[in-house]
Amino acid sequence: MSNLLYFPYINVPRTDWTLRTLLYYDNIGSIVPQEYFYEPERNYDEFMLELVREGLVTPINPMDVLDNPWESTRPFIELIRENRKKLEKAQNRFTAGNRGNIHSDKFSKANIHADKFDQEIFYQLEQLGLAESSEGRWYSVEKKTANNLMNFLATLISAKTDRLPTTDYVKPFHYRNSFKKTQEKRETILRSLIPFPQDIDFTRLMRFKERHSDLLEAFRTQVELIALDPNIIEGTPLFYQRLAELTQRRDELSAKMNESRFNSILFGTVCGLIGSYQGIAAASTTGTIIGALPGFANAVYSALQIERAENVFDQSGLKYLALADKRLRK
């Protein structure tokens, strides 16, 4: 999948994880209350607001996605009721103050006359002794139940919108162990391959991704070949060998894009501009040739070194990272 759904929080965190995610996936979605669509400046934090404005994060209203919200979440309530021992433990935790807040607008439309999903889901949780109304449109919910409910909702929305649910906070209670291992393996690969700083211009990032979508797809293919291969187990020599190969290729491409490739373009663009300037053909080294060029031609050459980074040939898919490293730093 090329798109993610982030949860359990509304605001995507300003971390290295987010930067890696933005570079690797086409788009991040976030579950957002209805009111945030009307007053984004008031509700989002500064970082999230910038991501939304640049189109790097897409706010998602669950009620625009789920056709039958209460019916869809009824199995979650039934699951809680079925296990009386776990329910009693959860009730005791809630009574003891182990709670988390969930905004009710994540489950309902703002229209107060509508048949609201939150009235039913939170009513059921209140009847089970796991939730109570808090300030505004917030509900206080037993913490583990709140996490599980957000996992449940995120999985439903991900399936409906063709996104991969992901979080940097809670562990999904229902994910299979194989899914978890694949996610962890993917994260290890991305941490090794994308060690970029946080001072990136997000406007440039969006334009970069749009311009090099083909390179992003090629890079993602290389990573997924490792992440999805059950024979390549994280922590084994084979895993580290494959990771080292990708890292080495990335570094080689980065170096190649920054090194002098003067000979490959000298008698083309640059020499076409300076005509019959004497001494160039006889020069034996690149440094001597550069020194022999008049100032204008030398300036043109320097500009071409910047503009021609994309011309480096690559079949490994790692050119995307090499270009990102060169283009996106502030």
Side-chain angles (χ1 to χ4, degrees):
M1 290 185 179
S2 58
N3 296 302
L4 287 185
L5 179 69
Y6 172 75
F7 71 100
Y9 299 120
I10 294 169
N11 292 304
V12 177
R14 192 184 191 106
T15 62
D16 290 341
W17 175 87
T18 297
L19 178 57
R20 290 192 300 270
T21 302
L22 289 172
L23 279 168
Y24 187 68
Y25 292 95
D26 289 340
N27 180 264
I28 301 176
S30 177
I31 302 173
V32 173
Q34 182 74 27
E35 64 191 63
Y36 281 52
F37 289 85
Y38 300 124
E39 297 180 293
E41 293 82 3
R42 179 181 175 183
N43 292 294
Y44 293 123
D45 65 27
E46 185 178 347
F47 179 66
M48 179 68 171
L49 183 60
E50 183 181 5
L51 295 179
V52 171
R53 283 174 170 170
E54 295 298 336
L56 293 166
V57 171
T58 299
I60 296 175
N61 180 4
M63 295 304 98
D64 291 336
V65 175
L66 301 177
D67 297 320
N68 300 289
W70 165 237
E71 291 299 323
S72 298
T73 55
R74 188 189 296 274
F76 178 81
I77 295 296
E78 292 176 353
L79 179 64
I80 295 176
R81 286 177 176 151
E82 286 174 1
N83 196 317
R84 296 301 304 178
K85 289 185 178 180
K86 287 186 177 180
L87 174 57
E88 290 174 4
K89 290 181 180 179
Q91 290 169 338
N92 292 334
R93 289 194 298 268
F94 183 70
T95 302
N98 191 5
R99 308 177 181 191
N101 287 327
I102 294 182
H103 198 291
S104 63
D105 274 354
K106 282 195 174 184
F107 302 91
S108 70
K109 296 192 174 186
N111 189 338
I112 61 173
H113 298 293
D115 183 14
K116 295 185 178 181
F117 169 39
D118 67 296
Q119 289 180 345
E120 186 62 37
I121 186 69
F122 289 110
Y123 171 77
Q124 295 294 334
L125 289 175
E126 285 179 304
Q127 293 302 302
L128 290 171
L130 299 176
E132 65 182 22
S133 179
S134 185
E135 296 181 4
R137 294 190 55 76
W138 289 89
Y139 277 80
S140 180
V141 182
E142 189 276 317
K143 194 169 185 179
K144 189 172 183 179
T145 303
N147 286 340
N148 288 343
L149 181 56
M150 286 307 304
N151 277 297
F152 188 85
L153 178 64
T155 304
L156 289 180
I157 293 175
S158 295
K160 294 272 291 189
T161 60
D162 195 27
R163 291 175 179 269
L164 181 68
T166 190
T167 179
D168 62 340
Y169 177 65
V170 297
K171 294 182 179 180
F173 73 105
H174 59 289
Y175 286 168
R176 299 186 306 274
N177 194 42
S178 59
F179 179 88
K180 176 185 174 184
K181 288 183 177 179
T182 299
Q183 282 283 69
E184 290 176 346
K185 183 164 53 167
R186 185 182 290 110
E187 282 296 317
T188 298
I189 297 169
L190 295 181
R191 279 196 302 271
S192 300
L193 294 177
I194 313 180
F196 298 132
Q198 296 185 30
D199 58 339
I200 282 184
D201 186 312
F202 290 107
T203 300
R204 290 163 64 183
L205 173 58
M206 186 63 183
R207 292 173 182 170
F208 175 82
K209 290 174 66 174
E210 290 175 347
R211 183 177 180 182
H212 299 294
S213 59
D214 57 331
L215 295 180
L216 171 56
E217 186 62 32
F219 167 59
R220 200 155 47 215
T221 297
Q222 291 299 315
V223 173
E224 295 303 310
L225 284 175
I226 300 176
L228 299 177
D229 189 339
N231 297 313
I232 303 178
I233 302 172
E234 184 175 358
T236 63
L238 177 59
F239 173 79
Y240 289 117
Q241 178 186 340
R242 293 297 305 276
L243 186 56
E245 290 171 355
L246 293 181
T247 303
Q248 180 180 355
R249 182 55 182 162
R250 180 204 62 192
D251 294 342
E252 288 174 352
L253 288 166
S254 293
K256 201 168 187 179
M257 287 177 181
N258 289 288
E259 73 181 6
S260 173
R261 298 187 309 285
F262 191 81
N263 290 331
S264 65
I265 65 171
L266 176 62
F267 293 103
T269 306
V270 174
C271 286
L273 291 172
I274 62 177
S276 59
Y277 185 76
Q278 299 298 315
I280 294 179
S284 58
T285 66
T286 298
T288 303
I289 295 174
I290 294 175
L293 287 174
F296 176 77
N298 205 342
V300 171
Y301 163 69
S302 297
L304 287 172
Q305 288 294 89
I306 298 172
E307 291 300 322
R308 293 197 173 196
E310 286 84 349
N311 290 342
V312 174
F313 179 73
D314 171 48
Q315 286 185 316
S316 68
L318 275 297
K319 187 164 74 170
Y320 177 75
L321 292 186
L323 277 173
D325 188 36
K326 187 177 181 69
R327 300 293 191 213
L328 297 180
R329 294 180 187 272
K330 287 185 178 178

